[in-house]
């Protein structure tokens, strides 16, 4: 079995059908090559200042094993590259996120936008489900619990199996046992070209692959969205000031935590209230 590969020009409904069937899909040309080229240049320049194995998730030995001893990870990508904001306003990815997440929230925000560069000699990452970060929300009524997150692994350069392409178990989002992570023999690699993306559900079992090359890095970034009433991995609201985001789109401002959370049409009260009320912000955004 392999993941379906579809062009970003395909109808949203066709892309969604493949995502819901297999748990993930490779979307070819999801992001423009000029945007990815600029982002790649900026990310790789910043990576020169980051030592492998020092990601903030790797605070203990278990965390270091998960993130990878020869893997470079860092977030706050909007602080180093203007191109990052183009990803946030991508219409195709936005349509997919709306369809997957909005049935269970008033709006969603960024879970994390993170460089994930896997170096030579890296072992395969342990298989996991991203939704496990929000165990209570994800495991309740499993597998019928709501999708809490949608992710894209975006290729900054060509990614091959040998370089550590993300490995996915198609159909694992439908398994009856939340704790079952399968095994590596059940996985398939998400090989991609520059600008392609693996878009996958939070319930889907996956993990970074082993980099068995001698001198090639797997260069990719992870951009994921999360239900607006859950706490994300990345502290975006603290990373950017109002002034820094003043010229950004209302969508980018909301994704980065600089707009209040309006739960409608789902029940509940406003969250993350800003100086200007969330109802005013919502009205302003729709003008």
């Amino acid at each position: 079995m392999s993941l379906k590969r579809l062009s970003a020009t395909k109808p949203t409904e066709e892309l969604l059908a493949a995502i819901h069937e297999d748990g993930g899909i490779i979307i070819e040309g999801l992001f423009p090559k000029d945007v990815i080229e600029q982002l790649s240049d900026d990310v790789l320049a910043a990576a020169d200042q980051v030592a492998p194995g020092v990601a903030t998730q790797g605070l203990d030995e278990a965390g270091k094993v998960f993130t990878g001893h020869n893997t470079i990870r860092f977030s706050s990508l909007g602080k180093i590259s203007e191109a990052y904001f183009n990803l946030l306003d991508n219409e195709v990815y936005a349509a997919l996120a709306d369809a997957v997440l909005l049935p269970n929230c008033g709006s969603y925000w960024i879970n994390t936008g993170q460089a994930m560069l896997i170096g030579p000699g890296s072992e395969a990452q342990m298989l996991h489900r991203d939704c496990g970060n929000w165990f209570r929300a994800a495991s309740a009524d499993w597998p019928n619990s709501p999708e809490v997150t949608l992710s894209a692994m975006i290729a900054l350069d060509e990614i091959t199996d040998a370089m550590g392409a993300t490995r996915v178990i198609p159909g694992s989002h439908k398994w009856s046992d939340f704790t079952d992570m399968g095994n590596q023999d059940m996985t398939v690699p998400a090989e991609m070209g520059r600008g392609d993306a693996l878009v996958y559900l939070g319930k889907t079992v996956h993990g970074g692959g082993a980099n068995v090359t001698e001198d090639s890095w797997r260069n990719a970034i992870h951009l994921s969205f999360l239900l607006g009433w859950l706490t994300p991995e990345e502290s975006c609201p603290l990373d950017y000031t109002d002034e820094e985001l003043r010229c950004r789109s209302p969508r980018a401002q909301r994704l980065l935590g600089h707009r209040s959370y309006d739960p409608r049409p789902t029940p509940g009260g406003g969250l993350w209230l800003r100086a200007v009320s969330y109802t005013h912000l919502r009205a302003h955004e729709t003008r």
Side-chain angles (χ1 to χ4, degrees):
M1 181 181 291
S2 60
L3 291 170
K4 294 181 177 63
R5 310 180 69 95
L6 293 174
S7 167
T9 60
K10 292 291 186 180
T12 300
E13 294 74 17
E14 188 172 345
L15 299 175
L16 280 170
I19 291 172
H20 287 305
E21 180 179 355
D22 294 335
I25 181 178
I26 296 172
I27 301 181
E28 297 177 337
L30 180 56
F31 299 100
K33 282 188 167 54
D34 59 334
V35 171
I36 294 300
E37 182 177 1
Q38 183 60 60
L39 187 60
S40 177
D41 289 344
D42 295 337
V43 165
L44 296 183
D48 286 339
Q49 309 303 314
V50 180
V54 298
T56 53
Q57 297 102 319
L59 298 179
D60 55 22
E61 191 56 34
K64 290 178 181 178
V65 170
F66 182 82
T67 58
H69 290 282
N70 197 32
T71 295
I72 294 175
R73 290 184 176 223
F74 56 89
S75 53
S76 303
L77 299 182
K79 306 289 281 190
I80 65 170
S81 181
E82 284 282 319
Y84 176 66
F85 296 99
N86 292 87
L87 306 187
L88 306 187
D89 288 325
N90 182 275
E91 293 182 358
V92 175
Y93 192 24
L96 296 175
D98 285 355
V100 171
L101 300 177
L102 287 184
N104 297 294
C105 63
S107 64
Y108 51 87
W109 55 346
I110 289 173
N111 172 47
T112 187
Q114 188 173 150
M116 294 184 178
L117 315 180
I118 299 179
S122 296
E123 298 180 352
Q125 186 185 40
M126 64 179 291
L127 297 174
H128 61 283
R129 308 178 195 270
D130 285 351
C131 67
N133 282 344
W134 305 274
F135 174 80
R136 295 298 180 189
S139 63
D141 196 33
W142 179 269
N144 299 313
S145 52
E147 287 292 349
V148 299
T149 185
L150 182 73
S151 301
M153 187 65 72
I154 305 165
L156 298 181
D157 295 298
E158 181 184 9
I159 293 176
T160 66
D161 186 13
M163 294 165 62
T166 301
R167 302 195 66 89
V168 179
I169 303 182
S172 55
H173 61 306
K174 299 177 181 178
W175 291 354
S176 60
D177 185 354
F178 178 82
T179 64
D180 184 1
M181 301 299 164
N183 58 67
Q184 290 289 345
D185 291 339
M186 304 168 71
T187 64
V188 296
E191 296 186 305
M192 298 184 284
R194 173 176 276 189
D196 297 348
L198 163 67
V199 177
Y200 61 97
L201 302 173
K203 295 179 180 180
T204 304
V205 176
H206 68 286
N211 187 330
V212 298
T213 70
E214 294 183 359
D215 56 4
S216 297
W217 283 75
R218 188 212 74 170
N219 297 327
I221 65 170
H222 169 106
L223 176 60
S224 53
F225 300 134
L226 176 70
L227 300 182
W229 45 271
L230 291 173
T231 302
E233 295 178 52
E234 186 175 341
S235 56
C236 295
L238 303 180
D239 288 343
Y240 305 90
T241 66
D242 286 343
E243 187 59 35
E244 286 177 312
L245 298 182
R246 192 170 302 280
C247 64
R248 303 302 175 187
S249 69
R251 173 178 170 82
Q253 292 171 357
R254 185 176 69 252
L255 289 175
L256 291 165
H258 280 250
R259 294 208 166 207
S260 298
Y261 176 77
D262 181 347
R264 293 175 295 182
T266 57
L271 304 173
W272 199 251
L273 299 179
R274 306 280 293 165
V276 182
S277 72
Y278 68 88
T279 52
H280 174 80
L281 287 171
R282 189 180 183 92
H284 175 74
E285 185 172 334
T286 56
R287 289 177 186 170

